Amino acid sequence: MNQLIKELQEVIDKKADNHELKQELSTLVKMLKIGFEKKTNGMEKIPKLFSSNDTKKITKFYDNLANNINGLKVAGSFDQFNEYLKITYGITINFSSEDAPKNSYIKTPKKQKKFYDLYSSYFLDDVPKNPSDAIKRIFNSLDKLNKEYSNESDGVKESLKAIIEKQNEHSPTTVKIIDKLLTNSRLKSVPLEDIANDAENSLMQQQQGIDIILKQSESGE
């Protein structure tokens, strides 16, 4: 086997493992979004943000949050915001992390069954009677998996970077194209030859378009 292909295959193995983590994350996010009466959209972004260890992104999040709260105070609507949080989420401004917001499971039978099936098949447990316990467990799992996914992704990037840097025969672009083809073949479970043929057809169509434009330019029309 070509040495470059062999090294890239090792990177693809790591990508395949990380892809499974991504599927798990997708399942947890789906649980969070369909399982509860109150809106949870966006909650899944918090563990993702902090697992990235990206100081700039975290700082930007804090700054935006602080500016919005300050804007509420300046506009004189902070009390209204405080009341909204208390009524809608069971949160008061001086709440501690132990003061869990009041939540309730989705009441739509079809969605409830889907949530119960997802939860039980993933955690191998019955759905807790207290909805807040379920949210906390989902959230903790999201946090753990996001950290693992982020670390694995960084490892994949470093491995690919190392392969590119020591490569003398092929350009970085060529290595990245080979990596992309191998990745698509592995993750989509499609023969590599089929993936390569599709890519070749796409390139031929692009070349035809380029040829038409160049001829147009040469004719001066």
Side-chain angles (χ1 to χ4, degrees):
M1 181 185 289
N2 180 289
Q3 182 62 26
L4 174 60
I5 299 293
K6 183 178 179 181
E7 291 177 0
L8 285 174
Q9 287 286 13
E10 293 176 2
V11 175
I12 305 306
D13 288 341
K14 294 177 182 178
K15 284 188 180 183
D17 291 340
N18 219 23
H19 183 69
E20 290 184 14
L21 288 177
K22 192 173 182 180
Q23 298 299 103
E24 278 194 62
L25 283 167
S26 178
T27 299
L28 287 166
V29 170
K30 190 181 293 183
M31 264 188 252
L32 192 62
K33 287 185 175 180
I34 69 169
F36 307 92
E37 282 291 330
K38 291 180 180 176
K39 298 288 185 182
T40 56
N41 290 346
M43 285 177 65
E44 76 282 355
K45 295 178 183 177
I46 302 301
K48 183 177 181 180
L49 172 69
F50 285 94
S51 67
S52 69
N53 292 321
D54 190 321
T55 306
K56 287 185 178 179
K57 287 183 179 179
I58 294 171
T59 300
K60 184 178 179 181
F61 171 76
Y62 283 145
D63 286 345
N64 287 339
L65 188 62
N67 283 332
N68 287 333
I69 290 175
N70 191 44
L72 286 170
K73 290 170 70 175
V74 171
S77 54
F78 193 72
D79 289 342
Q80 184 179 341
F81 173 62
N82 192 359
E83 190 69 16
Y84 175 80
L85 286 181
K86 187 183 296 183
I87 294 172
T88 309
Y89 296 105
I91 297 173
T92 53
I93 297 302
N94 60 350
F95 84 108
S96 66
S97 58
E98 287 76 25
D99 294 330
K102 296 177 182 177
N103 298 288
S104 57
Y105 290 121
I106 191 77
K107 293 181 173 61
T108 309
K110 188 175 180 180
K111 287 186 178 180
Q112 190 177 74
K113 183 181 184 307
K114 188 175 182 180
F115 167 72
Y116 274 48
D117 289 344
L118 275 173
Y119 187 97
S120 297
S121 62
Y122 184 87
F123 290 110
L124 302 179
D125 282 329
D126 291 335
V127 176
K129 290 182 179 179
N130 186 345
S132 292
D133 290 341
I135 286 183
K136 186 174 181 180
R137 189 172 190 183
I138 293 169
F139 217 65
N140 286 341
S141 296
L142 273 171
D143 186 53
K144 180 182 176 182
L145 276 179
N146 269 308
K147 286 176 182 173
E148 189 175 349
Y149 180 78
S150 179
N151 289 335
E152 292 295 326
S153 295
D154 289 343
V156 167
K157 289 176 185 176
E158 288 301 317
S159 296
L160 185 57
K161 182 180 177 183
I163 292 172
I164 290 173
E165 287 178 346
K166 73 175 185 178
Q167 185 58 226
N168 296 319
E169 295 182 35
H170 306 290
S171 69
T173 300
T174 300
V175 176
K176 288 177 182 178
I177 289 172
I178 297 171
D179 172 66
K180 184 177 180 180
L181 294 175
L182 290 171
T183 300
N184 287 342
S185 174
R186 179 69 173 275
L187 298 186
K188 295 178 180 179
S189 298
V190 176
L192 185 57
E193 185 179 354
D194 292 348
I195 293 289
N197 285 334
D198 288 343
E200 184 179 27
N201 290 334
S202 178
L203 286 173
M204 287 174 62
Q205 291 173 21
Q206 289 181 50
Q207 187 61 53
Q208 288 174 6
I210 291 169
D211 290 343
I212 291 171
I213 290 173
L214 290 176
K215 286 180 181 178
Q216 178 76 11
S217 300
E218 290 171 0
S219 66
E221 295 179 8

